Amino acid sequence: MPKPIRYLLYLAVVALLAYNSVYIKKLDEVKAGAATFNAAGYALDFWDKKLTPGLSKAVELSALTSQLKTEKDKAFEQHSHALGIGNIRYFLVKGEGVVADVSENEVSVKLAGASENAGNVRIATEYIFGNAVRDASGAIDINAFTNSMDFNNVSAEINKLIREKVVPPFKSKVKKGDRIAFHGAIELNRAHLQVNDIEIIPIHLQIEKP
């Protein structure tokens, strides 16, 4: 084959490879593509497929508080979850009790079977924030997220679901003396443990007969 023709074929192959190897996009298109994570959709899917089906694994809160007083380390190892190695840990809990007080921000509950000197637990009904519900089940893998903002947005959307779906129907009817059942998440500090003033972020609330 004559040299000019070989060179032309060579140049054609190089040009073809270069054309298929380089993609040019507008910067605003790239930014739009990077912002496609749907935190609300992820949170709802997590709620329906992982969190609420897993509530049967929640530990009884009265049993947990008893264990924490006698076997603190074992209780944390058996029942808590957290993303890091710090002292803040999260527990998925359940329980029953009698409503001792209803305020604007919370519902105070005397746990069934609790001792006379045990403090009441508080179910948050106004300020729903933090990562307790997202992390308590241990069912979300942080490595599945490409950045911390998306991960934190999932937590915000889960808390939004609680404010919109869980709290209103409960708060509109609950009154002092009601017997209730609950599932929720709590946050405890291993180094500065306090079990006489526990706040529960609710996941499921049910009013039973007084």
Side-chain angles (χ1 to χ4, degrees), residues 83 140-147 151:
L83 298 177
I140 289 184
D141 181 9
I142 191 175
N143 295 317
F145 295 82
T146 57
N147 61 71
F151 192 52

Side-chain angles (χ1 to χ4, degrees), residues 43 82-83 128 152:
L83 298 177
I128 309 293
N152 291 333

